[in-house]
Amino acid sequence: MKVRAVVLVDVQNIQETFERQGFEVRYDALKDFILTQFGLDEREVKFLAFVPYRREDERRIRLIDALSFMGFRVIAKPVREHPDGGLKANMDTEIVLEAVNVAPFVEEFILVTGDSDFVPLVDYLSRLGKRVSVLGPGRGSTSVELIRASDHFHNIDEIPGMLIPRHLPEGAGTLGR
């Protein structure tokens, strides 16, 4: 069976957005939503998750393992730490390279991110005649330019079961939805 669609998940962008809001992300619910919403058979779609990590971050290592067991191909790389203490943790180049390399063989792209850095990629894929959908965070967290460039936008906040409240320490408060 031919691959009809490729799903490119910018895990760093999604994790940071929802962790700041007090939520855990359920990537199995994301996968189920994509298969149903886009009418895809699991054999027709390739799921890729791009994950930067720190070697000592056991939680992120467990996420990488979980994504693998859910059927995502995981492209992971260690975070680079600069001498000034800053971190280099995005995987934009890897996502773009993967998309450009598979574009001749795929009809549709589903980009899971809110990052405006991907507008040129969406424009490029559209010029090739590819359908490009974006699944991104709501509440102003997804770039308006990215939404405009895509063929269709889905608000991740509205996907049933995808976000679950994180258990916060007593007295830390909760984020209302």
Side-chain angles (χ1 to χ4, degrees):
M1 186 173 277
K2 181 181 174 187
V3 173
R4 278 186 33 211
V6 170
V7 178
L8 304 162
V9 182
D10 182 358
V11 171
Q12 184 69 17
N13 178 266
I14 299 304
Q15 286 293 121
E16 281 186 5
T17 299
F18 290 112
E19 284 176 359
R20 278 194 308 266
Q21 296 175 14
F23 292 98
E24 294 283 340
V25 178
R26 296 219 18 239
Y27 291 96
D28 56 337
L30 172 68
K31 186 175 177 182
D32 291 344
F33 173 82
I34 289 170
L35 291 171
T36 302
Q37 183 69 31
F38 292 89
L40 296 166
D41 181 296
E42 195 160 353
R43 295 169 295 180
E44 299 175 312
V45 61
K46 188 171 190 170
F47 288 89
L48 298 115
F50 297 82
V51 189
Y53 68 96
R54 285 182 149 150
R55 287 181 171 87
E56 68 276 3
D57 186 348
E58 291 180 27
R59 191 165 180 251
R60 187 57 65 102
I61 300 298
R62 284 193 305 274
L63 174 61
I64 289 170
D65 292 343
L67 287 164
S68 297
F69 286 116
M70 283 180 230
F72 286 83
R73 177 174 165 240
V74 178
I75 294 95
K77 77 173 181 185
V79 171
R80 285 196 328 239
E81 296 188 43
H82 298 292
D84 67 359
L87 299 176
K88 173 77 170 125
N90 80 42
M91 296 192 65
D92 294 2
T93 301
E94 289 82 355
I95 293 170
V96 169
L97 285 172
E98 188 71 30
V100 168
N101 283 321
V102 301
F105 313 105
V106 178
E107 299 170 19
E108 185 168 8
F109 286 84
I110 302 161
L111 187 58
V112 183
T113 188
D115 191 340
S116 65
D117 289 346
F118 293 107
V119 170
L121 173 64
V122 173
D123 289 341
Y124 171 77
L125 294 171
S126 292
R127 283 192 303 275
L128 292 178
K130 308 302 178 180
R131 180 170 171 76
V132 183
S133 296
V134 170
L135 278 69
R139 298 187 187 111
S141 296
T142 297
S143 155
V144 173
E145 294 81 12
L146 184 61
I147 293 169
R148 288 180 189 149
S150 69
D151 294 305
H152 195 268
F153 172 72
H154 292 274
N155 183 340
I156 287 177
D157 300 46
E158 297 171 358
I159 297 174
M162 181 154 166
L163 302 174
I164 54 174
R166 272 200 348 229
H167 298 290
L168 300 174
E170 180 116 1
T174 59
L175 179 67
R177 288 201 61 171

